[in-house]
Amino acid sequence: MYSNKYLSGNLSGIADGPMSVKQTLVLDGEKGELVKASETMGKKIAGSEPKTMAALKSHSDAERRRRERINAHLATLRGLLPISGKMDKATLLAEVISEVKQLKETARPASEGLHVPMDTDEVQVEKLEDKADGGSVLLRASLCCDYTPDLLFNVKQAISDLPGQLLKSEMSTLGGRVKIVFLITSSSAAEELHFSSIRAALSNILDKVSASAEYAQQIIFPQKRRRVSYVDS
Amino acid sequence: MYSNKYLSGNLSGIADGPMSVKQTLVLDGEKGELVKASETMGKKIAGSEPKTMAALKSHSDAERRRRERINAHLATLRGLLPISGKMDKATLLAEVISEVKQLKETARPASEGLHVPMDTDEVQVEKLEDKADGGSVLLRASLCCDYTPDLLFNVKQAISDLPGQLLKSEMSTLGGRVKIVFLITSSSAAEELHFSSIRAALSNILDKVSASAEYAQQIIFPQKRRRVSYVDS
DNA sequence: AAGGACACGTGATAC
DNA sequence: TGTATCACGTGTCCT
């Protein structure tokens, strides 16, 4: 075992391999030189006090146990992650934090109430929680309008044109009204660009839907007016 | 700064503090003794090669950067956790893994409740909360499948054939998948009958969709298998 | 060969 | 007091 190269596992000190003492240089910051370690050492060595020895061993032992605990937890986390491949310890942690965020976002709407479609047509794009963690931003876009048979077709087309990655979409209907909510990840670099192109895509849907809806409406409710509002945040 | 105690920040070696060279003992595993480090050292020291010096510095610098990266991520994770108090690094990780597990657990019913389409085709009919109100029962039916252009047409037809009164329908899409949920009132007398006819109607949709989807899929993914599950409750 | 990632032992420090 | 945690520089492997 590597850890016993300098520090023997048993105090009786049975020779069990070729020995090579290393880590013998000390970098002297003051002079900027390498010096022999012993040069600057005083009495302290005196050699082989068993007390110091035992203390040192238990110290490094404890430290090793600590490392093992941490690494075990890291391994557990690696197993919990959707990503399978081998990973850097730092990148693993980065993945974990993005996982946690994602899960939190996914779990939220359960408690945050439902998106009931209102009476005014609406296109809304907002940014959720920009904690400057890893350059990725979460956008929440929503569209509220009348339901028409071709709505879903238009939506689907718009989705494929959407920038970033679509995490989730949710749609609810009430009466003849419908509200669709999208959750989209965007790179913080292209954030504003995505922002406006999402807005454009959804507004485009709204236009088409409005056209066909207005046609149908004018037959039945010629008096009804259409109110449209665009909201950004 | 502590990190410069042994290794000076500048290679010119300006004296900037009291110096105390430490880490000079080497624990000899073979003999079980402390020895002077220099005892077992040969020529190698020769003193002050600038090459070795620079290499050593860049090495420890890199290692420090790595540590900082990891610790930064750990700090971020600490901030994401519901627990506020100070925490052991290992216990922090333990908390993170339990948090991830819990979020996964919480997110699953949320996903099912919020009707996020999963990867398996599914027809589900269940009875919600029969509070013996007035002989009327609430049924919740859902259909999960690939999205195809004719899906909505089929759904619309099936709806008109449905028994009972359709209270609400909700639909969400993710990727190419779609999940539709119906809320239907039924008389408790005809409950079982409605149950099976709803099942039949949705299964019928699923069959049609599967057919057209499979046709499209066999061109692109000939190996992909369709898994269908029927769930009652 | 130049640099990244990891485990190690050690000094410092808090309780 | 002993017994934890942490940051550090280093050796070693891998690319």
Side-chain angles (χ1 to χ4, degrees):
Chain A
M1 194 181 175
Y2 178 78
S3 61
N4 285 351
K5 190 182 276 183
Y6 302 137
L7 193 52
S8 77
N10 54 357
L11 293 173
S12 48
I14 300 172
D16 52 2
M19 164 193 160
S20 63
V21 175
K22 291 161 186 174
Q23 184 152 331
T24 51
L25 297 185
V26 167
L27 208 38
D28 185 341
E30 197 165 350
K31 308 204 207 119
E33 292 175 354
L34 293 175
V35 297
K36 290 196 198 118
S38 59
E39 278 187 354
T40 47
M41 287 208 40
K43 54 205 174 351
K44 237 188 153 186
I45 289 200
S48 286
E49 287 117 328
K51 287 295 264 290
T52 312
M53 173 68 189
L56 231 40
K57 165 157 180 54
S58 78
H59 184 29
S60 58
D61 269 4
E63 179 64 10
R64 171 163 44 256
R65 277 189 229 104
R66 172 176 172 271
R67 274 194 301 260
E68 281 166 4
R69 249 178 13 233
I70 294 181
N71 285 341
H73 285 150
L74 287 179
T76 309
L77 274 177
R78 181 174 265 111
L80 282 170
L81 243 45
I83 316 294
S84 54
K86 256 197 69 177
M87 273 173 101
D88 199 340
K89 206 184 283 192
T91 355
L92 164 64
L93 287 176
E95 283 299 324
V96 169
I97 105 170
S98 86
E99 245 301 271
V100 170
K101 281 189 172 175
Q102 185 130 336
L103 283 178
K104 275 194 161 152
E105 205 51 53
T106 307
R108 171 189 330 218
S111 56
E112 202 182 281
L114 359 94
H115 313 287
V116 177
M118 307 311 284
D119 275 347
T120 58
D121 286 359
E122 192 178 74
V123 169
Q124 186 171 354
V125 186
E126 61 179 339
K127 177 176 57 177
L128 306 173
E129 285 302 313
D130 173 37
K131 280 249 176 173
D133 291 329
S136 90
V137 182
L138 219 59
L139 297 183
R140 180 183 176 279
S142 66
L143 164 68
C144 181
C145 61
D146 280 340
Y147 174 85
T148 64
D150 56 331
L151 171 66
L152 223 64
F153 174 75
N154 290 327
V155 167
K156 182 145 175 61
Q157 253 191 339
I159 285 182
S160 57
D161 295 343
L162 240 43
Q165 189 195 0
L166 179 62
L167 280 188
K168 177 179 177 179
S169 100
E170 195 172 308
M171 163 170 164
S172 43
T173 69
L174 180 59
R177 303 284 297 170
V178 54
K179 179 159 189 175
I180 315 182
V181 181
F182 305 96
L183 223 58
I184 307 169
T185 55
S186 159
S187 65
S188 57
E191 182 187 336
E192 292 83 4
L193 179 62
H194 286 186
F195 219 88
S196 58
S197 60
I198 291 174
R199 266 273 299 257
L202 296 189
S203 300
N204 188 35
I205 297 179
L206 185 56
D207 287 343
K208 291 183 184 170
V209 169
S210 295
S212 63
E214 242 164 28
Y215 171 74
Q217 266 189 353
Q218 279 184 354
I219 301 175
I220 312 176
F221 302 122
Q223 81 288 1
K224 194 170 183 182
R225 282 256 176 229
R226 175 156 306 273
R227 293 163 297 162
V228 186
S229 76
Y230 297 90
V231 182
D232 276 1
S233 162
Chain B
M1 196 182 175
Y2 179 78
S3 62
N4 285 351
K5 190 182 276 182
Y6 302 138
L7 193 51
S8 78
N10 51 0
L11 292 173
S12 49
I14 301 173
D16 53 1
M19 159 192 164
S20 63
V21 175
K22 289 161 186 174
Q23 185 151 323
T24 51
L25 298 184
V26 168
L27 209 39
D28 184 340
E30 198 165 351
K31 308 204 208 121
E33 292 176 356
L34 293 175
V35 298
K36 290 195 199 125
S38 60
E39 278 186 355
T40 47
M41 288 208 34
K43 57 216 166 6
K44 236 189 154 189
I45 289 198
S48 285
E49 285 117 331
K51 286 297 263 285
T52 311
M53 175 68 188
L56 231 42
K57 167 160 177 56
S58 77
H59 184 29
S60 58
D61 271 4
E63 177 64 11
R64 171 163 52 253
R65 280 195 290 273
R66 174 175 171 271
R67 274 193 303 261
E68 280 166 4
R69 256 185 1 243
I70 294 180
N71 286 341
H73 285 149
L74 286 178
T76 308
L77 273 175
R78 181 175 268 112
L80 262 89
L81 243 46
I83 315 297
S84 56
K86 258 196 66 176
M87 274 173 97
D88 197 340
K89 206 183 281 192
T91 16
L92 164 64
L93 287 176
E95 283 298 324
V96 168
I97 109 171
S98 85
E99 172 76 350
V100 169
K101 279 186 178 170
Q102 182 179 346
L103 279 181
K104 276 195 159 152
E105 206 56 43
T106 308
R108 179 165 48 81
S111 293
E112 286 171 6
L114 288 170
H115 325 312
V116 172
M118 307 311 284
D119 274 346
T120 59
D121 285 359
E122 192 177 76
V123 168
Q124 186 171 356
V125 186
E126 61 180 338
K127 179 174 58 179
L128 306 173
E129 283 305 309
D130 176 36
K131 280 246 176 175
D133 291 327
S136 85
V137 182
L138 217 56
L139 297 183
R140 179 184 177 279
S142 67
L143 163 69
C144 181
C145 60
D146 280 340
Y147 174 84
T148 64
D150 55 333
L151 171 68
L152 225 63
F153 173 74
N154 291 326
V155 167
K156 200 164 165 47
Q157 252 191 341
I159 284 182
S160 57
D161 295 342
L162 241 40
Q165 190 195 359
L166 179 63
L167 280 187
K168 174 181 177 180
S169 97
E170 194 170 308
M171 166 170 159
S172 37
T173 70
L174 181 58
R177 305 282 300 169
V178 54
K179 180 160 189 175
I180 313 181
V181 181
F182 305 97
L183 223 58
I184 307 169
T185 54
S186 160
S187 64
S188 56
E191 182 187 333
E192 292 82 3
L193 178 63
H194 285 186
F195 220 88
S196 59
S197 61
I198 292 173
R199 267 271 301 255
L202 296 190
S203 299
N204 187 34
I205 297 178
L206 185 56
D207 287 343
K208 291 183 184 170
V209 169
S210 295
S212 64
E214 242 162 30
Y215 171 73
Q217 264 188 354
Q218 279 184 353
I219 302 175
I220 313 176
F221 303 121
Q223 81 288 2
K224 193 171 182 181
R225 283 253 177 232
R226 175 158 305 274
R227 295 163 295 162
V228 185
S229 76
Y230 296 90
V231 181
D232 278 0
S233 159

